[in-house]
Amino acid sequence: MCIRDSFRSERFPRGLRGIGTLHARVLRRVNEDTVKAELAAEECLIAHERGRGFLLEHPRNTLARFLPAWARLLSRPGVYQVEYHRCMFEPCRLHKFQLLITNMSELVTAVSRTCSTRTVCARTGEEHESMTPRVGPTGCVFFPKVALREPPRELCQLMAGAILEWARGDAGGEPSDYDFVEIFGGFRSPLTEAVREAASKGKEAPPALA
């Protein structure tokens, strides 16, 4: 999930003054992004207060952090902020700085991987893939950022393992006792699939809703 920062500021995270003069379609997209960001934070806060695990992924430097709902969530004891670059997880090669907000400490260890430079990837030793659209041999335009709509396969697998570890440990139960719900998770909900696959290797997989 990504809240567009083009028409926001730290002082006005919901939208700059005069935003109402924008084209109706642009204004609708900005408002929809705000609603989704606030809803996500509010639901995570409810889950935290009820002793349920949650995770919320967003670009690291997002201005959504200044929304009241996000500020309330981030101020709660037991809520962690984990920074990582997606290029540090197979097969992603895009240097995208991300933030994971969660109350599951297992995810802190599993996901905390940062890449030291913008040019050469610390994981592959090769240059990062450019995010600039390019024309392929057949004349088709390729947009690398499309791959960022969903988390990389390895990241999903590590997250799934950490979630199940939390369920069996901190939550004091078995994965089959819990529902896993992925919201705004991309076209294929890859994290849901990773949790289902990881759980099926042990006992019954938890019901998954996406």
Side-chain angles (χ1 to χ4, degrees):
M1 183 185 67
C2 178
I3 180 171
R4 293 174 177 80
D5 289 343
S6 304
F7 306 102
R8 311 174 193 277
S9 69
E10 293 182 10
R11 186 179 177 186
F12 300 105
R14 289 189 173 189
L16 297 172
R17 290 178 177 177
I19 195 173
T21 61
L22 294 173
H23 188 282
R25 185 174 61 181
V26 177
L27 179 60
R28 183 175 63 252
R29 292 178 65 182
V30 172
N31 289 336
E32 287 176 352
D33 283 349
T34 300
V35 169
K36 289 191 291 185
E38 291 182 321
L39 174 62
E42 289 166 358
E43 290 298 317
C44 289
L45 183 56
I46 292 172
H48 184 58
E49 292 176 343
R50 293 179 179 178
R52 299 174 180 173
F54 75 85
L55 59 91
L56 174 60
E57 184 193 37
H58 224 64
R60 172 61 184 86
N61 297 319
T62 176
L63 292 175
R65 294 173 296 154
F66 299 96
L67 290 168
W70 281 59
R72 289 194 298 273
L73 176 64
L74 294 173
S75 68
R76 291 297 192 272
V79 174
Y80 308 97
Q81 299 183 59
V82 188
E83 299 179 353
Y84 61 94
H85 286 96
R86 282 198 172 182
C87 63
M88 297 299 291
F89 302 91
E90 179 70 29
C92 185
R93 295 184 57 208
L94 295 170
H95 190 256
K96 183 69 182 295
F97 200 15
Q98 293 289 102
L99 174 68
L100 184 70
I101 303 170
T102 182
N103 60 350
M104 294 179 275
S105 60
E106 290 80 359
L107 281 165
V108 178
T109 303
V111 176
S112 296
R113 296 184 186 178
T114 55
C115 188
S116 56
T117 68
R118 288 182 173 273
T119 53
V120 178
C121 181
R123 176 179 64 85
T124 65
E126 301 176 353
E127 290 188 0
H128 291 114
E129 183 177 346
S130 173
M131 294 192 189
T132 304
R134 60 180 182 272
V135 179
T138 61
C140 294
V141 180
F142 175 67
F143 297 90
K145 285 188 177 181
V146 172
L148 296 175
R149 292 180 179 178
E150 297 178 346
R153 179 181 63 254
E154 183 185 9
L155 178 59
C156 288
Q157 293 170 342
L158 291 171
M159 283 184 174
I163 291 168
L164 295 180
E165 183 180 352
W166 172 85
R168 296 184 176 113
D170 294 359
E174 287 296 326
S176 58
D177 298 330
Y178 297 88
D179 291 334
F180 179 80
V181 182
E182 185 174 6
I183 304 173
F184 311 134
F187 295 115
R188 298 180 298 108
S189 299
L191 182 55
T192 295
E193 292 300 319
V195 170
R196 180 186 291 117
E197 181 180 352
S200 66
K201 294 179 180 178
K203 294 190 175 182
E204 179 184 357
L209 302 175

